[in-house]
Amino acid sequence: MNSKTLLFNKSVIKSNLKRFWWIAVLESIAIFVTTILPLIYNSYDVRSWTEEMAHVRFMSSTSLSMIWIVIFSIGTAILLFNYLYNAGSVSCIHGLPLKRKTLYVSNISTGLFLLIIPVFVNVLVLIILKLTMLEVNYIVKFSFLLEWIFQYILYTLIVFSGTVFTSMLTGNAVASL
């Protein structure tokens, strides 16, 4: 017989978003400062660039965001599942009228949401800059943005799920690092 209950709990997701909203904001700011601003400031004499030169310049600028993927994915996974590292917290959380599967899936979905939103915020900023600044228009192509989004989401998924797997397997924050 199929289960009629959802794997998502709205109140757990809301609680996690209230507690950890600052992760997405901090990651958005970090990506903007280390990726978008250098791209804008170093966009001199771009009209003579070929598309290949623009692609190399854009991808080298956005490669700095990979550092933030590792830092924020590991940190978010450890913060979301930090209740596992204290016996009293585990008893309290698992004493709630929720299935462990529901709690797990709600925490995972909240973490992925918090980690993926910053790339879309920065892509929106880049699109606005592309429409308003002529120099950025030569560097930023929509195909470059789609490639960056895909890479960012893929690497975030890999690092976050690896950290969550390690957290669940060991139950130790140091091992998760």
Side-chain angles (χ1 to χ4, degrees):
M1 187 153 120
N2 291 338
S3 176
K4 301 291 183 197
T5 60
L6 291 175
L7 288 179
F8 300 101
N9 189 324
K10 189 170 65 171
S11 61
V12 172
I13 292 173
K14 271 187 187 179
S15 172
N16 285 339
L17 288 175
K18 282 183 199 174
R19 288 176 35 214
F20 301 118
W21 62 269
W22 55 272
I23 293 173
V25 171
L26 192 62
E27 187 177 7
S28 295
I29 291 169
I31 291 171
F32 181 77
V33 168
T34 59
T35 303
I36 309 299
L37 283 182
L39 189 67
I40 295 169
Y41 288 139
N42 297 328
S43 63
Y44 53 90
D45 195 31
V46 294
R47 294 180 183 165
S48 63
W49 289 6
T50 63
E51 186 169 336
E52 184 178 325
M53 291 171 64
H55 184 262
V56 168
R57 178 69 185 125
F58 179 79
M59 293 316 273
S60 67
S61 177
T62 56
S63 66
L64 287 173
S65 66
M66 300 307 162
I67 296 167
W68 299 119
I69 289 174
V70 172
I71 292 170
F72 283 104
S73 295
I74 291 172
T76 303
I78 290 173
L79 286 173
L80 280 171
F81 292 99
N82 68 351
Y83 69 90
L84 293 174
Y85 313 130
N86 186 350
S89 297
V90 170
S91 298
C92 178
I93 296 293
H94 289 281
L96 295 173
L98 297 171
K99 292 184 178 182
R100 291 181 184 192
K101 191 186 304 185
T102 303
L103 188 63
Y104 177 75
V105 170
S106 296
N107 283 340
I108 292 281
S109 60
T110 305
L112 287 175
F113 178 76
L114 288 172
L115 291 170
I116 291 174
I117 284 297
V119 75
F120 288 112
V121 168
N122 283 295
V123 164
L124 182 66
V125 168
L126 272 175
I127 289 173
I128 291 170
L129 289 174
K130 179 178 172 49
L131 296 174
T132 58
M133 292 179 63
L134 192 57
E135 289 81 16
V136 176
N137 198 19
Y138 288 103
I139 297 175
V140 179
K141 306 280 189 218
F142 287 113
S143 61
F144 302 169
L145 290 175
L146 290 176
E147 183 180 349
W148 181 43
I149 290 170
F150 177 73
Q151 284 181 353
Y152 191 91
I153 291 173
L154 180 69
Y155 293 148
T156 298
L157 218 118
I158 291 169
V159 174
F160 183 73
S161 60
T163 307
V164 168
F165 176 74
T166 307
S167 291
M168 293 289 121
L169 192 64
T170 62
N172 189 346
V174 176
S176 299
L177 290 173

